[in-house]
Amino acid sequence: MQQSDSVLILACGALAHEIRTIIKANQWGRQFDLKCLSAELHNKPELIAPKLAEKIGYWKSRYRDIFVAYGDCGSNGEIDRLLQSEKIERIPGAHCYEFFAGNEVFSKLSEEEPGTFFLTDFLTKNFERLVVRGLKLDQYPELIEMFFGNYKRVVYLVQSSDPALTGLARGIADYLGLEFEERHSGYGDLERGLGQKIFATS
């Protein structure tokens, strides 16, 4: 079987829209192919590395190079151990909040208020499905205090300015009983990481 000259990106579904937007804006369509795993795996992070291993096993003979758009994402190092054994790179960082904010800004935000709950465009749009229903907060409202009682504020990391999304993010903060702050981050290290991959393989 002939290998594709494109780089395969194996990504979290939470990053799919942003990655496609970045690829289109930079005219990288011929250099990258994108395959995504379900964003709902974040509710069971121990399954992310095994699912990635399945995808890598299936696709590695079909592509000359694979790049992973995941952080550690609560896998306790399992993703990195898998990728090290497969000699595959990923975007550096613990999670997508760090990708978008950039390491320096994310560290500063976390240090000034450790009790910060971060939102992205994707999580804001899908908060009801992934968090409210995913954690059964709609059925057991008392769980809000259990899961979010130690948080003090919501920081919404904005990828693409949209007043409707800002309104949703404010509503999430109100729902959780937290202060609200908005930061325009754009695509941050996610775009830089893909650009570096293009440069390295060209």
Side-chain angles (χ1 to χ4, degrees), residues 22-201:
I22 291 167
I23 290 173
K24 183 176 180 180
N26 290 281
Q27 299 181 338
W28 290 337
R30 293 184 179 179
Q31 289 96 331
F32 286 125
D33 286 340
L34 175 64
K35 308 290 182 184
C36 292
L37 281 71
S38 171
E40 294 186 17
L41 285 172
H42 280 285
N43 289 335
K44 295 183 178 179
E46 70 278 6
L47 298 181
I48 298 175
K51 291 293 185 182
L52 271 175
E54 290 178 13
K55 296 294 185 182
I56 290 168
Y58 181 80
W59 290 109
K60 66 181 180 182
S61 64
R62 295 164 168 80
Y63 284 87
R64 63 181 175 86
D65 202 357
I66 295 176
F67 186 63
V68 168
Y70 264 96
D72 176 73
C73 298
S75 73
N76 294 316
E78 286 299 317
I79 291 175
D80 281 335
R81 284 187 279 275
L82 167 66
L83 299 185
Q84 185 176 17
S85 69
E86 295 283 355
K87 296 180 173 57
I88 291 173
E89 295 178 276
R90 73 169 177 87
I91 297 173
H95 35 59
C96 57
Y97 314 125
E98 189 172 347
F99 299 164
F100 290 135
N103 179 264
E104 184 176 342
V105 172
F106 177 79
S107 296
K108 182 179 179 181
L109 289 169
S110 299
E111 288 170 6
E112 70 182 21
E113 178 48 78
T116 298
F117 181 74
F118 291 92
L119 290 172
T120 62
D121 287 3
F122 176 87
L123 188 53
T124 298
K125 294 173 186 175
N126 294 277
F127 186 83
E128 178 74 22
R129 175 173 63 89
L130 294 177
V131 179
V132 176
R133 296 201 300 272
L135 298 178
K136 301 187 185 304
L137 305 184
D138 53 338
Q139 299 178 42
Y140 306 102
E142 63 273 17
L143 293 178
I144 295 174
E145 176 64 25
M146 180 185 297
F147 286 115
F148 297 96
N150 293 325
Y151 288 100
K152 303 297 182 185
R153 69 174 179 180
V154 166
V155 172
Y156 172 33
L157 301 172
V158 179
Q159 281 73 71
S160 54
S161 296
D162 182 339
L165 284 182
T166 296
L168 283 176
R170 286 186 182 276
I172 290 168
D174 290 343
Y175 172 75
L176 298 176
L178 304 176
E179 298 175 7
F180 178 75
E181 182 177 336
E182 184 179 50
R183 293 286 187 104
H184 186 87
S185 67
Y187 302 115
D189 287 342
L190 180 62
E191 184 165 17
R192 284 187 286 273
L194 294 177
Q196 289 169 0
K197 190 62 179 176
I198 285 289
F199 179 79
T201 56

